[in-house]
Amino acid sequence: MAAGEAATSNYWPVTICVMLATVMQAIDTTIANVALPYMQGSLSATLDQANWVLTSYIVAAAIMTPPTGWLAGRFGRKRLFIVQVVGFTVASVLCGIAQTLNEMVLFRLLQGICGAALVPLSQAVLLDTWPREKHGSAMALWGVGVMVGPILGPTLGGWLTESYSWRWVFYVNVPVGILTVMGLLTFLRESDRRDVPFDWFGFATLSVSIGALQLMLDRGEQLNWFGSTEILAEAVVAGTAFYLFLVHTFTAQRPFVNPRLFADRNFSAGLVFIFLVGIILLATLALLTPYLQNLMGYPVLTAGMVLAPRGMGTMLMMFIVGRLIGKIDSRLIIGAGLLVTAASLYEMSGFTPDVSAAAIVRTGFTQGLGFGLIFVPLSTVTFATLPPEWRTDATGLFSLMRNLGSSIGISIVVSLLASNTQANHAEIAANLTPFNPALHEPAINQYWNAWTAVGQTSLNAVVNVQAQIVAYADDYRLMMFLTLAALPTLLLMRRPGKQAGGAPAHAAVAD
């Protein structure tokens, strides 16, 4: 049976298989966050030490994402996919049975290494398996796993931790992994291999740069950023290694990353765009979760339920947009998504601890609609004009830029939240002295007597809450401006339908 015929008849089974892998990896980026305090007690670790459980996974996944294209070409896409899923599943079991912090960090490192290729491989397989005219639908399905996974991760993690044990956060991957491997063995055919030399120097310099950057971003807030020698050292290492990587890429005969990829205008613009989307997507979630739990007093499961409609909005809009691709200019759809997302962020900048759950659900659902409008056409138009043989390399870079955007965005908003809270606290407290007439009102003086230690403590707690509210509003406003700033990037993209492209190379699927 020809590849195209196989693709036409079997792309649904292949899609289900690769979507299971995508969802499994995407959920694991956030599912362990909720369980971290419970791991800390079981593994006898401090908070700083327990954070390495998250850091090791992030760093390993970031480093091992770029070589996905070379590995798929050298060993075959099917073989690599199966090895990665098996490795991820085994590493999940090892994480679940870990008894010490060192074991947990080591197994999470292994989990990150094995999970790094799952998302780019899934995207490449779907683009090659589905006919070109149905790429919008394929990217809608793929986007559901990538975008909704991190949103639902904390909810699922909280439920598993409270109902069973934090170890089930990892054990839950086992049945998914087994089903995925069985499906891949049955339906996915092997791709063509190419014996291309591996650029060790390019890989080493890029890996060092990404690893140092991720460490700096993950530990910066704990160590007071550039006031720390460690952070300074990581910044210097990241910058130097990236400079060497760039020089090598544009001078070597067979560089690790093919510079001709960036000559495609849609692909280059898409990388910039997905970087900005990465900043907004997880940074917003990183702010809203502690806001609900710390300022509004929501339990973990309640906070997860309130956040769930955001994922529902994303899924709903992705399926709608998947049918609009090719009928409406993708750039118009992306622009509408940016405006919808910016509107939701503007409303969130006015949140207070008194905001109703209905308002949070509404803005979250609206923001999910905005992300759904953005992600599907962006994923489609980014790869629309690339030669099929470059897709696996390109999807690896696409996933890398999304992950880097998420890491940088979370670091920025968390750092600004802390610094702005301190600044706002000082500004508000400067006006609250025992000589302020407003504090002598009977209703106020009853609870916040500025002349007594108890009254000062109570007053300080109120001031701190107000300072955090303003800091959260500033962060949401900043992300709104970043969202609007992405609009001019649409001018760099070509409408795919107006540029001839080669016939899609349908990934081989089983007869």
PDB file of all heavy atoms in Angstrom, residues 136-165:
ATOM      1  N   GLY A 136      -4.949  21.610   9.445  1.00  0.00           N
ATOM      2  CA  GLY A 136      -5.578  22.399  10.503  1.00  0.00           C
ATOM      3  C   GLY A 136      -6.230  21.513  11.550  1.00  0.00           C
ATOM      4  O   GLY A 136      -6.080  21.731  12.754  1.00  0.00           O
ATOM      5  N   SER A 137      -6.937  20.499  11.105  1.00  0.00           N
ATOM      6  CA  SER A 137      -7.571  19.561  12.044  1.00  0.00           C
ATOM      7  C   SER A 137      -6.527  18.786  12.830  1.00  0.00           C
ATOM      8  O   SER A 137      -6.685  18.544  14.037  1.00  0.00           O
ATOM      9  CB  SER A 137      -8.471  18.588  11.282  1.00  0.00           C
ATOM     10  OG  SER A 137      -9.497  19.277  10.594  1.00  0.00           O
ATOM     11  N   ALA A 138      -5.442  18.397  12.156  1.00  0.00           N
ATOM     12  CA  ALA A 138      -4.379  17.651  12.841  1.00  0.00           C
ATOM     13  C   ALA A 138      -3.742  18.493  13.931  1.00  0.00           C
ATOM     14  O   ALA A 138      -3.492  18.024  15.052  1.00  0.00           O
ATOM     15  CB  ALA A 138      -3.326  17.202  11.829  1.00  0.00           C
ATOM     16  N   MET A 139      -3.472  19.759  13.625  1.00  0.00           N
ATOM     17  CA  MET A 139      -2.844  20.634  14.618  1.00  0.00           C
ATOM     18  C   MET A 139      -3.813  20.995  15.747  1.00  0.00           C
ATOM     19  O   MET A 139      -3.386  21.290  16.871  1.00  0.00           O
ATOM     20  CB  MET A 139      -2.325  21.911  13.941  1.00  0.00           C
ATOM     21  CG  MET A 139      -1.100  21.690  13.068  1.00  0.00           C
ATOM     22  SD  MET A 139       0.318  21.005  13.979  1.00  0.00           S
ATOM     23  CE  MET A 139       0.124  19.228  13.735  1.00  0.00           C
ATOM     24  N   ALA A 140      -5.106  20.964  15.460  1.00  0.00           N
ATOM     25  CA  ALA A 140      -6.088  21.187  16.530  1.00  0.00           C
ATOM     26  C   ALA A 140      -6.022  20.054  17.538  1.00  0.00           C
ATOM     27  O   ALA A 140      -6.011  20.282  18.761  1.00  0.00           O
ATOM     28  CB  ALA A 140      -7.486  21.299  15.936  1.00  0.00           C
ATOM     29  N   LEU A 141      -5.969  18.829  17.049  1.00  0.00           N
ATOM     30  CA  LEU A 141      -5.877  17.677  17.949  1.00  0.00           C
ATOM     31  C   LEU A 141      -4.571  17.697  18.729  1.00  0.00           C
ATOM     32  O   LEU A 141      -4.548  17.459  19.944  1.00  0.00           O
ATOM     33  CB  LEU A 141      -5.983  16.379  17.137  1.00  0.00           C
ATOM     34  CG  LEU A 141      -7.342  16.098  16.498  1.00  0.00           C
ATOM     35  CD1 LEU A 141      -7.238  14.942  15.517  1.00  0.00           C
ATOM     36  CD2 LEU A 141      -8.376  15.797  17.573  1.00  0.00           C
ATOM     37  N   TRP A 142      -3.472  17.974  18.036  1.00  0.00           N
ATOM     38  CA  TRP A 142      -2.171  18.025  18.704  1.00  0.00           C
ATOM     39  C   TRP A 142      -2.137  19.159  19.746  1.00  0.00           C
ATOM     40  O   TRP A 142      -1.622  18.988  20.850  1.00  0.00           O
ATOM     41  CB  TRP A 142      -1.073  18.228  17.657  1.00  0.00           C
ATOM     42  CG  TRP A 142       0.297  18.323  18.228  1.00  0.00           C
ATOM     43  CD1 TRP A 142       1.081  17.311  18.678  1.00  0.00           C
ATOM     44  CD2 TRP A 142       1.058  19.524  18.416  1.00  0.00           C
ATOM     45  NE1 TRP A 142       2.285  17.796  19.124  1.00  0.00           N
ATOM     46  CE2 TRP A 142       2.301  19.147  18.982  1.00  0.00           C
ATOM     47  CE3 TRP A 142       0.822  20.876  18.156  1.00  0.00           C
ATOM     48  CZ2 TRP A 142       3.292  20.074  19.289  1.00  0.00           C
ATOM     49  CZ3 TRP A 142       1.809  21.799  18.458  1.00  0.00           C
ATOM     50  CH2 TRP A 142       3.022  21.397  19.017  1.00  0.00           C
ATOM     51  N   GLY A 143      -2.700  20.287  19.375  1.00  0.00           N
ATOM     52  CA  GLY A 143      -2.691  21.432  20.279  1.00  0.00           C
ATOM     53  C   GLY A 143      -3.476  21.197  21.553  1.00  0.00           C
ATOM     54  O   GLY A 143      -3.145  21.757  22.601  1.00  0.00           O
ATOM     55  N   VAL A 144      -4.524  20.368  21.474  1.00  0.00           N
ATOM     56  CA  VAL A 144      -5.306  20.064  22.677  1.00  0.00           C
ATOM     57  C   VAL A 144      -4.406  19.453  23.742  1.00  0.00           C
ATOM     58  O   VAL A 144      -4.434  19.839  24.916  1.00  0.00           O
ATOM     59  CB  VAL A 144      -6.472  19.113  22.342  1.00  0.00           C
ATOM     60  CG1 VAL A 144      -7.074  18.534  23.613  1.00  0.00           C
ATOM     61  CG2 VAL A 144      -7.540  19.846  21.551  1.00  0.00           C
ATOM     62  N   GLY A 145      -3.572  18.496  23.341  1.00  0.00           N
ATOM     63  CA  GLY A 145      -2.678  17.862  24.307  1.00  0.00           C
ATOM     64  C   GLY A 145      -1.625  18.805  24.837  1.00  0.00           C
ATOM     65  O   GLY A 145      -1.358  18.849  26.043  1.00  0.00           O
ATOM     66  N   VAL A 146      -1.029  19.593  23.947  1.00  0.00           N
ATOM     67  CA  VAL A 146       0.061  20.496  24.346  1.00  0.00           C
ATOM     68  C   VAL A 146      -0.430  21.622  25.236  1.00  0.00           C
ATOM     69  O   VAL A 146       0.216  21.985  26.225  1.00  0.00           O
ATOM     70  CB  VAL A 146       0.757  21.062  23.088  1.00  0.00           C
ATOM     71  CG1 VAL A 146       1.759  22.142  23.458  1.00  0.00           C
ATOM     72  CG2 VAL A 146       1.456  19.943  22.330  1.00  0.00           C
ATOM     73  N   MET A 147      -1.580  22.196  24.902  1.00  0.00           N
ATOM     74  CA  MET A 147      -2.064  23.381  25.611  1.00  0.00           C
ATOM     75  C   MET A 147      -2.867  23.034  26.863  1.00  0.00           C
ATOM     76  O   MET A 147      -2.786  23.724  27.872  1.00  0.00           O
ATOM     77  CB  MET A 147      -2.925  24.232  24.668  1.00  0.00           C
ATOM     78  CG  MET A 147      -2.198  24.704  23.431  1.00  0.00           C
ATOM     79  SD  MET A 147      -0.957  25.970  23.758  1.00  0.00           S
ATOM     80  CE  MET A 147      -2.000  27.420  23.883  1.00  0.00           C
ATOM     81  N   VAL A 148      -3.661  21.973  26.779  1.00  0.00           N
ATOM     82  CA  VAL A 148      -4.546  21.636  27.894  1.00  0.00           C
ATOM     83  C   VAL A 148      -3.804  20.832  28.955  1.00  0.00           C
ATOM     84  O   VAL A 148      -4.105  20.931  30.147  1.00  0.00           O
ATOM     85  CB  VAL A 148      -5.783  20.869  27.389  1.00  0.00           C
ATOM     86  CG1 VAL A 148      -6.667  20.449  28.544  1.00  0.00           C
ATOM     87  CG2 VAL A 148      -6.569  21.735  26.418  1.00  0.00           C
ATOM     88  N   GLY A 149      -2.796  20.059  28.538  1.00  0.00           N
ATOM     89  CA  GLY A 149      -2.035  19.245  29.489  1.00  0.00           C
ATOM     90  C   GLY A 149      -1.497  20.021  30.677  1.00  0.00           C
ATOM     91  O   GLY A 149      -1.744  19.659  31.842  1.00  0.00           O
ATOM     92  N   PRO A 150      -0.739  21.115  30.442  1.00  0.00           N
ATOM     93  CA  PRO A 150      -0.221  21.884  31.577  1.00  0.00           C
ATOM     94  C   PRO A 150      -1.302  22.513  32.444  1.00  0.00           C
ATOM     95  O   PRO A 150      -1.084  22.742  33.634  1.00  0.00           O
ATOM     96  CB  PRO A 150       0.629  22.971  30.890  1.00  0.00           C
ATOM     97  CG  PRO A 150       0.975  22.403  29.558  1.00  0.00           C
ATOM     98  CD  PRO A 150      -0.207  21.581  29.156  1.00  0.00           C
ATOM     99  N   ILE A 151      -2.471  22.798  31.851  1.00  0.00           N
ATOM    100  CA  ILE A 151      -3.560  23.409  32.613  1.00  0.00           C
ATOM    101  C   ILE A 151      -4.221  22.389  33.541  1.00  0.00           C
ATOM    102  O   ILE A 151      -4.530  22.669  34.700  1.00  0.00           O
ATOM    103  CB  ILE A 151      -4.599  24.021  31.650  1.00  0.00           C
ATOM    104  CG1 ILE A 151      -3.958  25.158  30.844  1.00  0.00           C
ATOM    105  CG2 ILE A 151      -5.802  24.543  32.417  1.00  0.00           C
ATOM    106  CD1 ILE A 151      -4.848  25.698  29.745  1.00  0.00           C
ATOM    107  N   LEU A 152      -4.425  21.175  33.028  1.00  0.00           N
ATOM    108  CA  LEU A 152      -5.095  20.139  33.816  1.00  0.00           C
ATOM    109  C   LEU A 152      -4.139  19.405  34.753  1.00  0.00           C
ATOM    110  O   LEU A 152      -4.582  18.727  35.678  1.00  0.00           O
ATOM    111  CB  LEU A 152      -5.774  19.131  32.888  1.00  0.00           C
ATOM    112  CG  LEU A 152      -6.869  19.682  31.967  1.00  0.00           C
ATOM    113  CD1 LEU A 152      -7.491  18.561  31.161  1.00  0.00           C
ATOM    114  CD2 LEU A 152      -7.937  20.410  32.778  1.00  0.00           C
ATOM    115  N   GLY A 153      -2.828  19.528  34.512  1.00  0.00           N
ATOM    116  CA  GLY A 153      -1.838  18.839  35.334  1.00  0.00           C
ATOM    117  C   GLY A 153      -1.980  19.086  36.828  1.00  0.00           C
ATOM    118  O   GLY A 153      -2.047  18.130  37.616  1.00  0.00           O
ATOM    119  N   PRO A 154      -2.035  20.359  37.268  1.00  0.00           N
ATOM    120  CA  PRO A 154      -2.170  20.614  38.707  1.00  0.00           C
ATOM    121  C   PRO A 154      -3.458  20.044  39.306  1.00  0.00           C
ATOM    122  O   PRO A 154      -3.446  19.562  40.446  1.00  0.00           O
ATOM    123  CB  PRO A 154      -2.162  22.153  38.793  1.00  0.00           C
ATOM    124  CG  PRO A 154      -1.427  22.588  37.573  1.00  0.00           C
ATOM    125  CD  PRO A 154      -1.801  21.596  36.508  1.00  0.00           C
ATOM    126  N   THR A 155      -4.560  20.088  38.546  1.00  0.00           N
ATOM    127  CA  THR A 155      -5.819  19.541  39.045  1.00  0.00           C
ATOM    128  C   THR A 155      -5.714  18.030  39.236  1.00  0.00           C
ATOM    129  O   THR A 155      -6.093  17.489  40.288  1.00  0.00           O
ATOM    130  CB  THR A 155      -6.963  19.854  38.061  1.00  0.00           C
ATOM    131  OG1 THR A 155      -7.005  21.257  37.821  1.00  0.00           O
ATOM    132  CG2 THR A 155      -8.286  19.396  38.626  1.00  0.00           C
ATOM    133  N   LEU A 156      -5.205  17.343  38.221  1.00  0.00           N
ATOM    134  CA  LEU A 156      -5.039  15.892  38.316  1.00  0.00           C
ATOM    135  C   LEU A 156      -4.041  15.533  39.402  1.00  0.00           C
ATOM    136  O   LEU A 156      -4.267  14.598  40.190  1.00  0.00           O
ATOM    137  CB  LEU A 156      -4.570  15.336  36.970  1.00  0.00           C
ATOM    138  CG  LEU A 156      -4.313  13.822  36.894  1.00  0.00           C
ATOM    139  CD1 LEU A 156      -5.590  13.053  37.221  1.00  0.00           C
ATOM    140  CD2 LEU A 156      -3.780  13.441  35.521  1.00  0.00           C
ATOM    141  N   GLY A 157      -2.943  16.286  39.486  1.00  0.00           N
ATOM    142  CA  GLY A 157      -1.940  16.028  40.514  1.00  0.00           C
ATOM    143  C   GLY A 157      -2.487  16.213  41.915  1.00  0.00           C
ATOM    144  O   GLY A 157      -2.194  15.419  42.824  1.00  0.00           O
ATOM    145  N   GLY A 158      -3.292  17.271  42.095  1.00  0.00           N
ATOM    146  CA  GLY A 158      -3.890  17.508  43.406  1.00  0.00           C
ATOM    147  C   GLY A 158      -4.855  16.407  43.810  1.00  0.00           C
ATOM    148  O   GLY A 158      -4.859  15.956  44.959  1.00  0.00           O
ATOM    149  N   TRP A 159      -5.672  15.951  42.866  1.00  0.00           N
ATOM    150  CA  TRP A 159      -6.637  14.883  43.171  1.00  0.00           C
ATOM    151  C   TRP A 159      -5.927  13.568  43.495  1.00  0.00           C
ATOM    152  O   TRP A 159      -6.276  12.894  44.474  1.00  0.00           O
ATOM    153  CB  TRP A 159      -7.571  14.696  41.978  1.00  0.00           C
ATOM    154  CG  TRP A 159      -8.552  13.572  42.202  1.00  0.00           C
ATOM    155  CD1 TRP A 159      -9.642  13.585  43.023  1.00  0.00           C
ATOM    156  CD2 TRP A 159      -8.501  12.270  41.615  1.00  0.00           C
ATOM    157  NE1 TRP A 159     -10.283  12.367  42.979  1.00  0.00           N
ATOM    158  CE2 TRP A 159      -9.613  11.539  42.126  1.00  0.00           C
ATOM    159  CE3 TRP A 159      -7.647  11.653  40.710  1.00  0.00           C
ATOM    160  CZ2 TRP A 159      -9.873  10.231  41.751  1.00  0.00           C
ATOM    161  CZ3 TRP A 159      -7.905  10.350  40.333  1.00  0.00           C
ATOM    162  CH2 TRP A 159      -8.997   9.643  40.858  1.00  0.00           C
ATOM    163  N   LEU A 160      -4.915  13.207  42.715  1.00  0.00           N
ATOM    164  CA  LEU A 160      -4.193  11.963  42.966  1.00  0.00           C
ATOM    165  C   LEU A 160      -3.455  12.010  44.303  1.00  0.00           C
ATOM    166  O   LEU A 160      -3.443  11.027  45.058  1.00  0.00           O
ATOM    167  CB  LEU A 160      -3.186  11.701  41.836  1.00  0.00           C
ATOM    168  CG  LEU A 160      -3.771  11.277  40.481  1.00  0.00           C
ATOM    169  CD1 LEU A 160      -2.692  11.264  39.411  1.00  0.00           C
ATOM    170  CD2 LEU A 160      -4.434   9.909  40.587  1.00  0.00           C
ATOM    171  N   THR A 161      -2.862  13.162  44.604  1.00  0.00           N
ATOM    172  CA  THR A 161      -2.100  13.294  45.840  1.00  0.00           C
ATOM    173  C   THR A 161      -2.998  13.203  47.062  1.00  0.00           C
ATOM    174  O   THR A 161      -2.672  12.526  48.040  1.00  0.00           O
ATOM    175  CB  THR A 161      -1.325  14.622  45.845  1.00  0.00           C
ATOM    176  OG1 THR A 161      -0.449  14.655  44.716  1.00  0.00           O
ATOM    177  CG2 THR A 161      -0.502  14.758  47.113  1.00  0.00           C
ATOM    178  N   GLU A 162      -4.140  13.890  47.020  1.00  0.00           N
ATOM    179  CA  GLU A 162      -5.034  13.900  48.173  1.00  0.00           C
ATOM    180  C   GLU A 162      -5.818  12.588  48.314  1.00  0.00           C
ATOM    181  O   GLU A 162      -6.089  12.136  49.423  1.00  0.00           O
ATOM    182  CB  GLU A 162      -6.006  15.080  48.064  1.00  0.00           C
ATOM    183  CG  GLU A 162      -5.326  16.437  48.256  1.00  0.00           C
ATOM    184  CD  GLU A 162      -6.329  17.528  48.556  1.00  0.00           C
ATOM    185  OE1 GLU A 162      -7.537  17.228  48.661  1.00  0.00           O
ATOM    186  OE2 GLU A 162      -5.903  18.685  48.691  1.00  0.00           O
ATOM    187  N   SER A 163      -6.173  11.988  47.199  1.00  0.00           N
ATOM    188  CA  SER A 163      -6.993  10.772  47.243  1.00  0.00           C
ATOM    189  C   SER A 163      -6.160   9.517  47.466  1.00  0.00           C
ATOM    190  O   SER A 163      -6.624   8.564  48.091  1.00  0.00           O
ATOM    191  CB  SER A 163      -7.798  10.629  45.947  1.00  0.00           C
ATOM    192  OG  SER A 163      -8.621  11.752  45.746  1.00  0.00           O
ATOM    193  N   TYR A 164      -4.948   9.498  46.942  1.00  0.00           N
ATOM    194  CA  TYR A 164      -4.114   8.301  47.037  1.00  0.00           C
ATOM    195  C   TYR A 164      -2.762   8.642  47.660  1.00  0.00           C
ATOM    196  O   TYR A 164      -2.600   8.586  48.869  1.00  0.00           O
ATOM    197  CB  TYR A 164      -3.949   7.667  45.651  1.00  0.00           C
ATOM    198  CG  TYR A 164      -5.255   7.266  45.023  1.00  0.00           C
ATOM    199  CD1 TYR A 164      -5.878   8.091  44.092  1.00  0.00           C
ATOM    200  CD2 TYR A 164      -5.880   6.079  45.367  1.00  0.00           C
ATOM    201  CE1 TYR A 164      -7.095   7.733  43.521  1.00  0.00           C
ATOM    202  CE2 TYR A 164      -7.093   5.707  44.804  1.00  0.00           C
ATOM    203  CZ  TYR A 164      -7.696   6.550  43.888  1.00  0.00           C
ATOM    204  OH  TYR A 164      -8.898   6.195  43.339  1.00  0.00           O
ATOM    205  N   SER A 165      -1.791   8.997  46.820  1.00  0.00           N
ATOM    206  CA  SER A 165      -0.446   9.322  47.292  1.00  0.00           C
ATOM    207  C   SER A 165       0.263  10.106  46.205  1.00  0.00           C
ATOM    208  O   SER A 165      -0.115  10.025  45.021  1.00  0.00           O
ATOM    209  CB  SER A 165       0.337   8.033  47.612  1.00  0.00           C
ATOM    210  OG  SER A 165       1.723   8.291  47.701  1.00  0.00           O
TER     211      SER A 165
END
